[in-house]
Amino acid sequence: MSLLDQTPLSVLDLAPIRQGESAGDALADSVALAQKADALGYHRYWLAEHHNIDGIASAATSVLIGHVASQTERIRVGSGGIMLPNHAPLVIAEQFGTLNALHPGRIDLGLGRAPGSDGATMRALRRDPFAGVEDFPERLAELRRYLGTPAPGQRIRAVPGQNSHVPVWLLGSSGYSARLAGQLGLPFVFAAQFAPAHLKEALALYRRAFCPSEVLDEPYAMVGLPVIVAESDAYAHYLNTTAQQKFLNLHRGRSTQSLPPVEHIDWTPREQAAVAQNLGAAVVGEPERVREGLEAFLQQTGANELMVVTDVYDREDRLRSLELLAELCRG
């Protein structure tokens, strides 16, 4: 049995809003994607917190997690991630405690430190600009207290939330969260879907720092990466131009909705190189090429689980990519 056949596969969704369509259309697409992933046997389906971005509809992440969980049957649903410094730990504990009460044993809480937007939006969120820099471990500890068994004399409790023991994951694209996750014995997720440069370094740091805990006996690392599977290499790379255009516009300071694929992108060599850095971990192509790429990725990283991001424009192409990938693992 190959590494890919033994590795759980999960899905990360940014709820992309297509050009000319509404947030409601994007959320309907997300439900369809989650239902397809559920039916195909994917392990998790996660949504990410972003704010003030025209092309992303997952800002109210906890609300959307509840909606998706109610429309699926088996798959774990969670956050990839909730940006903890944007929120009071008690509020997040209550939200995810409520989600767990509604969907027992199916909710994950992935946490990050970034604001998920720009400085002006940070101020609108009433976020301290230094939040998460020095105080993230304290915020995390407070949140975990609200989700765990209450201590004797604990005055403030999350109701729902206390005693729920919702699984907590740390997310990151650098060494900070990797080290902290290792020290606390928590599972770690690296965001190679947009920042793959420090992937191997962060995974090595996580494993070196790991201390067994009541959560894990040994390190457990999941990696997010872009994956597009299609019937041909040419069509898969054509579909990938949607993601390339997204990162190109981000580098140009533009916030755009999901754009249709194109035969040619008008960019400079420097821009092309910058986008290639963002998408450096992408595995794109026909099924056998993707199998080879993912097998090599697993051998190089030792990842325990893969969380795929399939950022393509058309719903049917997105669903078909998930189908083809699932067939690879069954094969």
Side-chain angles (χ1 to χ4, degrees), residues 220-234:
Y220 192 93
M222 179 160 60
V223 179
L225 74 165
V227 177
I228 299 174
V229 196
E231 275 74 8
S232 71
D233 282 346

Side-chain angles (χ1 to χ4, degrees), residues 171-211:
L171 284 59
S173 57
S174 64
Y176 179 95
S177 292
R179 181 184 291 106
L180 182 60
Q183 292 169 344
L184 297 175
L186 294 175
F188 174 62
V189 190
F190 188 87
Q193 72 271 16
F194 67 85
H198 300 291
L199 168 61
K200 293 182 182 179
E201 176 186 350
L203 292 181
L205 181 59
Y206 169 60
R207 290 164 181 149
R208 285 198 306 270
F210 186 83
C211 296

Side-chain angles (χ1 to χ4, degrees), residues 33-314:
L33 186 72
Q35 290 174 333
K36 175 63 74 173
D38 194 18
L40 291 170
Y42 284 80
H43 191 40
R44 310 174 202 277
Y45 171 92
W46 283 8
L47 293 143
E49 177 186 346
H50 292 278
H51 300 280
N52 193 33
I53 298 177
D54 292 340
I56 296 179
S58 55
T61 316
S62 300
V63 176
L64 187 50
I65 287 170
H67 179 60
V68 168
S70 71
Q71 300 295 311
T72 52
E73 297 179 0
R74 174 205 55 82
I75 197 167
R76 298 189 67 89
V77 186
S79 58
I82 291 290
M83 300 298 111
L84 183 56
N86 291 347
H87 311 278
L90 177 61
V91 172
I92 297 303
E94 290 170 341
Q95 290 177 359
F96 277 77
T98 301
L99 289 169
N100 185 72
L102 292 169
H103 309 284
R106 291 183 56 208
I107 301 300
D108 293 326
L109 175 52
L111 298 168
R113 295 189 305 136
S117 193
D118 56 26
T121 308
M122 285 172 57
R123 291 189 291 275
L125 289 166
R126 304 297 191 267
R127 171 176 168 145
D128 180 341
F130 298 104
V133 178
E134 299 293 342
D135 65 350
F136 186 76
E138 289 75 19
R139 289 172 177 266
L140 174 61
E142 182 182 354
L143 172 60
R144 295 181 71 196
R145 283 198 301 272
Y146 293 140
L147 294 173
T149 303
Q154 181 174 323
R155 182 178 178 185
I156 300 173
R157 301 188 183 191
V159 183
Q162 209 77 60
N163 279 317
S164 65
H165 303 283
V166 174
V168 171
W169 298 64
L170 294 193
L171 284 59
S173 57
S174 64
Y176 179 95
S177 292
R179 181 184 291 106
L180 182 60
Q183 292 169 344
L184 297 175
L186 294 175
F188 174 62
V189 190
F190 188 87
Q193 72 271 16
F194 67 85
H198 300 291
L199 168 61
K200 293 182 182 179
E201 176 186 350
L203 292 181
L205 181 59
Y206 169 60
R207 290 164 181 149
R208 285 198 306 270
F210 186 83
C211 296
S213 69
E214 62 182 12
V215 177
L216 288 176
D217 294 326
E218 56 187 24
Y220 192 93
M222 179 160 60
V223 179
L225 74 165
V227 177
I228 299 174
V229 196
E231 275 74 8
S232 71
D233 282 346
Y235 193 60
H237 284 283
Y238 172 69
L239 296 178
N240 192 41
T241 60
T242 291
Q244 290 173 324
Q245 291 176 87
K246 178 184 75 176
F247 281 109
L248 175 60
N249 281 313
L250 287 173
H251 285 295
R252 290 176 172 175
R254 302 172 186 169
S255 178
T256 63
Q257 295 182 331
S258 182
L259 299 174
V262 294
E263 296 291 347
H264 172 74
I265 298 176
D266 184 15
W267 51 10
T268 68
R270 178 173 292 183
E271 289 173 330
Q272 187 172 2
V275 171
Q277 286 187 333
N278 291 124
L279 295 173
V283 181
V284 177
E286 53 83 25
E288 282 310 308
R289 190 175 301 277
V290 170
R291 171 180 278 281
E292 292 171 3
L294 292 179
E295 288 283 357
F297 185 87
L298 289 168
Q299 289 174 358
Q300 293 163 9
T301 64
N304 301 97
E305 187 170 339
L306 297 179
M307 177 160 275
V308 302
V309 180
T310 304
D311 187 6
V312 301
Y313 181 78
D314 184 78

